[in-house]
């Protein structure tokens, strides 16, 4: 099962020194409940297995911006294709979330969502274009809409917005 | 008096294709660096008809935003509406009557055929054959007439509702569909006789713009672009949604990786869509088309939801980040041709310009859908 395989590969990113070695399946539901009940506490980095019939994806992975490149590298080695990259502006928490969607050309279904949170005042992330050439436009679009700087991107100029655009329309404090 | 420009032997020049050019089928611009007739490098410039649908998604409520979806892709609009209603129904937990899902599948497939027919005509016209467009538009007209009767519009449908449909289909519609299927099958044979075997057509397309599986994966290509490169991927099969598991149909896959393979995939898909419509009409259950308790105000609970559907142009994804209010907190539209178009720059390097335009035609572009 690719879900298990991907999970194992990604778990290497999150060493858990204090956790006792109980089976991983037992930990996950409680984590999910926690995330759903206490909305106020920010989510910890880690892997959550989601109910596909409700959310439409299987693995929900939150990583540190520094881990992003490595995580995408793992995903690439498992033959995933890139679906999209997008942002969400969490203005109340003064954070910006960037969401990467991956799926597979396969009947063994697994959709992976990799998300990472960055500071809203100075949004910077490493580019993943060396791994996925197709990330180029998606990152440019995210830069257009949210002003997130993808460091190392070969051609970070406006894609959908006018070429002289200096505004970012999907920011929650954007005024036309 | 204009003086003819003489280029040095190793000098290249920049050629602008578009933004207003018939071969691009819309306002799309490709900046090509040319060495004679050969493309050295190309840069696609998009965004000329960007309308910021995603911002409208945040400002409007769920039902208000619904009609925007059919304005994205004016040729295969129902597929996009289908994705949106499925997502909201999943997020808000609305039950859909079975009859409504069957009618949705039938109408989506009719719309897919209409879209493929238009593509077929326009594609052959790109290559210099004008008559097939006329035949294709005639067949497409039958579909538009049928859909107009029940949905009330010819291109930008707003036929679905959260939970069901706006209007039930009647016997006259079913009769017209039953008449249409054999007529379309006959036309398909005609198209194959007229176009597919044509030696000029084949010489233009066979071996043109080879697209490897790896390139498809790195760019996230879908639809006939992926299936023409030997990737057996169709969201209707890989990630079954709606009532598609009930139907018996094949996913055409070709391994030649060239423009001819992409052409063949789409032509075969017309036949497969006809099969789905046939079975849908035969299996169509009786019952209501809207649930009894359809909520008036849609407020999906907090969370992050994703829904993918196979539209006429490929894998369309829609993501909703809900904060539990009447408006979405964030609505992301992942359009299939955006990814399919992106690989054009890399693939057309080294091609003759006419071959590159043939390749562009085989991608089945609808520009408003790229720009959103």
């Amino acid at each position: 099962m690719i879900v298990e395989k991907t999970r194992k590969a990604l778990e290497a990113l999150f060493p858990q020194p204090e956790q006792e070695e109980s089976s991983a399946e037992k930990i996950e539901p409680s984590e999910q409940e926690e995330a759903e009940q206490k909305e106020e506490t920010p989510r910890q980095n880690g892997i959550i297995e989601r109910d596909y019939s409700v959310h439409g994806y299987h693995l929900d992975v939150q990583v540190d911006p520094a881990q992003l490149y490595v995580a995408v590298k793992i995903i690439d080695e498992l033959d995933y294709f890139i679906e999209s990259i997008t942002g969400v502006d969490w203005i109340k928490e003064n954070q910006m979330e960037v969401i990467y969607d991956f799926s597979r050309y396969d009947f063994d279904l697994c959709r992976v969502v990799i998300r990472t949170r960055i500071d809203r005042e100075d949004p910077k992330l490493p580019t993943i274009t060396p791994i996925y050439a197709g990330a180029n436009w998606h990152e440019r679009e995210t830069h257009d809409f949210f002003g997130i700087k993808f460091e190392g991107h070969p051609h970070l100029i406006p894609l959908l917005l006018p070429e002289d655009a200096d505004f970012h329309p999907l920011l929650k404090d954007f005024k036309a | 008096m204009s003086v003819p420009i003489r280029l040095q032997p190793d000098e290249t020049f920049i050629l602008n294709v578009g933004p207003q050019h018939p071969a691009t089928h819309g306002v799309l611009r490709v900046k090509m660096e040319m060495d004679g007739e050969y493309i050295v490098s190309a840069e696609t410039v998009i965004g000329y008809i960007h309308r910021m649908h995603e911002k409208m998604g945040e400002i409007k409520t769920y039902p208000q935003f619904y009609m925007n979806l059919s304005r994205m892709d004016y040729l295969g609009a129902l597929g996009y509406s289908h994705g949106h209603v499925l997502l909201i129904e999943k997020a808000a937990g609305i039950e859909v009557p079975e009859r409504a899902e069957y009618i949705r599948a039938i109408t989506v497939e009719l719309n897919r055929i209409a879209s493929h027919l238009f593509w077929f005509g326009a594609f052959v016209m790109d290559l210099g054959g004008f008559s097939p467009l006329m035949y294709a538009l005639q067949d497409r007209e039958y579909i538009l007439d049928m859909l107009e009767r029940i949905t009330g519009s010819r291109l930008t449908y707003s036929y679905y509702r959260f939970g069901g449909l706006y209007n039930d289909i009647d016997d006259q519609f079913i009769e017209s569909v039953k008449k249409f299927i054999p007529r379309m099958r006959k036309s398909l044979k005609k198209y194959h006789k007229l176009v597919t075997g044509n030696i000029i057509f084949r010489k233009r397309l066979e071996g043109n713009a080879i697209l490897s599986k790896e390139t498809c994966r790195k760019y996230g290509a879908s639809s006939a672009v992926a299936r023409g490169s030997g990737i057996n991927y169709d969201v209707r099969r890989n990630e079954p949604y709606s009532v598609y598991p009930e139907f018996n149909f094949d996913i055409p896959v070709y391994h030649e990786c060239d423009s001819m393979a992409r052409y063949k995939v789409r032509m075969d898909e017309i036949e497969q869509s006809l099969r789905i419509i046939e079975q849908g009409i035969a299996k169509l259950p009786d019952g209501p088309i809207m649930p009894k308790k359809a909520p008036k105000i849609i407020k999906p609970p907090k969370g992050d939801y994703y829904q993918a559907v196979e539209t006429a142009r490929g894998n369309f994804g829609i993501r909703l980040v809900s904060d539990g209010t009447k408006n979405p907190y964030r609505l992301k539209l992942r359009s299939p041709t955006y990814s399919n178009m992106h690989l054009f720059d890399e693939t057309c390097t080294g091609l003759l310009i006419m071959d590159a335009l043939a390749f562009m035609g085989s991608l089945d572009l609808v520009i408003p859908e790229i720009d959103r």
Side-chain angles (χ1 to χ4, degrees), chain A residues 119-138:
Chain A
D119 184 21
R120 196 170 179 276
E121 303 304 323
D122 184 25
K124 269 190 216 156
L125 267 182
T127 177
I128 62 160
T129 42
I131 310 174
Y132 282 100
N136 191 316
W137 279 13
H138 292 294

Side-chain angles (χ1 to χ4, degrees), chain A residues 52 80 86-87 89 101 105, chain B residues 217 221 239 306 319 329-330:
Chain A
Y52 174 75
Y80 281 78
T86 188
D89 178 18
D101 284 286
Y105 293 132
Chain B
R217 186 173 76 80
E239 251 180 273
Y306 194 87
R319 150 165 275 114
Y329 191 76
R330 172 88 175 92

Side-chain angles (χ1 to χ4, degrees), chain A residues 52 55 57 76 80-81 83 86-87 89 101 105-106 109 111 115 131 134 137 141 155 159 169 172, chain B residues 43 46 55 58 216-218 220-221 231 238-239 304 306 308 315 319 329-330 332 334 338 342 372:
Chain A
Y52 174 75
H55 291 279
Y57 49 85
D76 176 44
Y80 281 78
F81 72 83
E83 191 121 6
T86 188
D89 178 18
D101 284 286
Y105 293 132
D106 200 353
L109 190 61
R111 277 183 179 277
R115 48 182 95 228
I131 310 174
W137 279 13
E141 182 193 314
H155 198 54
L159 177 72
K172 289 284 171 188
Chain B
E43 188 197 340
I46 58 170
K55 186 76 181 175
E58 288 176 15
C216 287
R217 186 173 76 80
K218 293 286 187 187
I231 296 168
N238 290 59
E239 251 180 273
D304 181 311
Y306 194 87
N315 170 9
R319 150 165 275 114
Y329 191 76
R330 172 88 175 92
K332 160 77 183 169
R334 187 262 185 208
Y338 187 80
H342 192 179
R372 283 163 292 143

Side-chain angles (χ1 to χ4, degrees), chain B residues 35-76:
Chain B
D35 179 6
E37 288 275 289
Y38 289 90
I39 298 168
V40 179
S41 67
E43 188 197 340
T44 307
V45 184
I46 58 170
Y48 288 96
I49 37 172
H50 176 55
R51 289 148 293 166
M52 200 77 239
H53 277 308
E54 293 174 16
K55 186 76 181 175
M56 286 189 245
E58 288 176 15
I59 293 166
K60 295 177 171 188
T61 62
Y62 293 94
Q64 281 172 340
F65 181 66
Y66 166 68
M67 68 274 288
N68 280 51
L69 267 295
S70 53
R71 270 77 181 169
M72 273 178 70
D73 176 356
Y74 50 84
L75 293 180

Side-chain angles (χ1 to χ4, degrees), chain A:
Chain A
M1 282 296 282
I2 189 69
V3 178
E4 294 302 313
K5 204 177 152 193
T6 313
R7 214 193 130 113
K8 279 209 180 104
L10 284 169
E11 259 167 9
L13 292 174
F14 310 104
Q16 290 177 315
E18 289 164 35
Q19 291 283 343
E20 74 269 35
E21 289 195 356
S22 60
S23 71
E25 282 164 33
K26 278 180 188 169
I27 303 172
E28 292 315 317
S30 65
E31 246 182 60
Q32 194 179 340
E33 276 170 28
E34 257 179 45
E36 279 170 6
Q37 283 169 3
K38 297 176 198 166
E39 294 290 347
E40 301 309 315
T41 51
R43 188 186 148 184
Q44 297 297 310
N45 289 349
I47 307 171
I48 298 178
E49 233 170 273
R50 296 283 194 194
D51 183 359
Y52 174 75
S53 60
V54 178
H55 291 279
Y57 49 85
H58 300 88
L59 291 177
D60 187 344
V61 188
Q62 179 158 323
V63 298
D64 198 65
Q67 290 174 312
L68 177 74
Y69 194 86
V70 190
V72 175
K73 192 99 198 154
I74 293 170
I75 290 293
D76 176 44
E77 276 158 14
L78 291 166
D79 270 354
Y80 281 78
F81 72 83
I82 182 162
E83 191 121 6
S84 70
I85 299 176
T86 188
V88 183
D89 178 18
W90 297 104
I91 190 165
K92 275 184 198 156
E93 288 133 65
N94 203 25
Q95 275 181 330
M96 208 91 87
E97 185 177 12
V98 183
I99 306 176
Y100 296 73
D101 284 286
F102 298 95
S103 182
R104 280 164 58 86
Y105 293 132
D106 200 353
F107 289 92
D108 189 1
L109 190 61
C110 181
R111 277 183 179 277
V112 178
V113 176
I114 293 185
R115 48 182 95 228
T116 182
R117 293 218 174 197
I118 45 178
D119 184 21
R120 196 170 179 276
E121 303 304 323
D122 184 25
K124 269 190 216 156
L125 267 182
T127 177
I128 62 160
T129 42
I131 310 174
Y132 282 100
N136 191 316
W137 279 13
H138 292 294
E139 286 183 354
R140 274 172 75 185
E141 182 193 314
T142 313
H143 175 252
D144 278 8
F145 292 170
F146 294 93
I148 294 163
K149 285 182 195 71
F150 290 92
E151 289 175 322
H153 190 286
H155 198 54
L156 202 60
I157 60 163
L159 177 72
L160 293 173
L161 296 184
E163 52 198 10
D164 56 349
D166 56 352
F167 48 87
H168 305 295
L170 281 184
L171 292 178
K172 289 284 171 188
D173 53 2
F174 168 77
K175 294 246 162 28

